[in-house]
Amino acid sequence: MVSSNKNEHSGDRLASHRRVIENRTIEQTMEVLPGGARRLAAQLRTPLGFDALWTVLTNYNQLSELIPNLRTSQVLSRVENEVYLKQVGSQEFLGLNFSAEVWIKLLEDKNNGSLTFNLVKGDFRRFDGSWKIAPLLSDLNSSLTYELTVQGCFGMPVSLIEKHLRKNLTTNLLAVEKAAAQIGL
């Protein structure tokens, strides 16, 4: 007998998608810049559509519930497509709890699938980058890219946390994909 229960099919689809996510390969690059800065980029090919990914990425006040190591994310102000956010990240590093706060200006460009952010103030000398969602023309998949250029403040060399930054990019991409899969748009 064939079941037509929508929840069962949806649950099967999510379980199958979780298995795909667990075995995912993410393309990643890192570039050493002058002054101890690092430019990192990670790209994920996903079967999810633009709307679900965009919904997750622009739900700024809920991001800390979805992205590991992001303790808080709060909209400070919004005027049309310009959003000011305060975010605090936290993780354990060398047995110590490391926490960093940033106030960023983010520009939403939904037509081009990009969210571009720049540091206004915070615990870094430089913290800017973007999230980009693009359809892949060869199939029904999307590309989700996260780029970050970061430069630590004096006394906080980015080279010490470089490995963690690389891991966090991958973790962040997978967390966004997982949340988007649960939305199912």
Side-chain angles (χ1 to χ4, degrees), residues 5-154:
N5 185 333
K6 185 177 179 179
N7 289 338
E8 285 179 23
H9 292 301
S10 180
D12 290 345
R13 185 173 47 87
L14 280 176
S16 173
H17 186 71
R18 280 190 200 105
R19 285 191 297 274
V20 170
I21 287 173
E22 289 168 3
N23 297 316
R24 184 63 49 104
T25 299
I26 295 179
E27 295 177 37
Q28 200 174 94
T29 62
M30 192 215 42
E31 181 181 358
V32 177
L33 301 175
R38 299 291 187 272
R39 181 179 298 131
L40 301 105
Q43 182 180 37
L44 168 70
R45 186 179 169 127
T46 178
L48 300 175
F50 177 90
D51 290 333
L53 295 166
W54 186 264
T55 298
V56 169
L57 288 172
T58 58
N59 191 357
Y60 307 115
N61 287 326
Q62 303 302 314
L63 285 177
S64 60
E65 295 174 19
L66 308 173
I67 296 179
N69 301 320
L70 184 59
R71 191 170 10 143
T72 64
S73 180
Q74 175 187 12
V75 174
L76 300 173
S77 69
R78 179 186 192 101
V79 177
E80 296 179 9
N81 69 330
E82 187 175 282
V83 183
Y84 286 86
L85 299 172
K86 176 184 174 187
Q87 296 183 325
V88 178
S90 178
Q91 70 180 48
E92 190 173 309
F93 178 66
L94 298 174
L96 302 171
N97 192 28
F98 173 77
S99 181
E101 179 179 279
V102 293
W103 295 46
I104 57 175
K105 176 175 118 177
L106 183 139
L107 296 175
E108 296 177 340
D109 184 353
K110 189 170 185 178
N111 290 335
N112 290 314
S114 69
L115 300 164
T116 305
F117 57 89
N118 297 87
L119 181 69
V120 174
K121 69 177 185 175
D123 293 330
F124 296 96
R125 284 186 283 171
R126 184 170 180 191
F127 189 89
D128 52 65
S130 65
W131 287 91
K132 294 179 184 166
I133 307 166
L136 296 174
L137 301 177
S138 60
D139 51 31
L140 299 175
N141 294 329
S142 298
S143 167
L144 178 61
T145 305
Y146 182 42
E147 297 176 357
L148 176 66
T149 300
V150 62
Q151 183 177 24
C153 287
F154 297 106

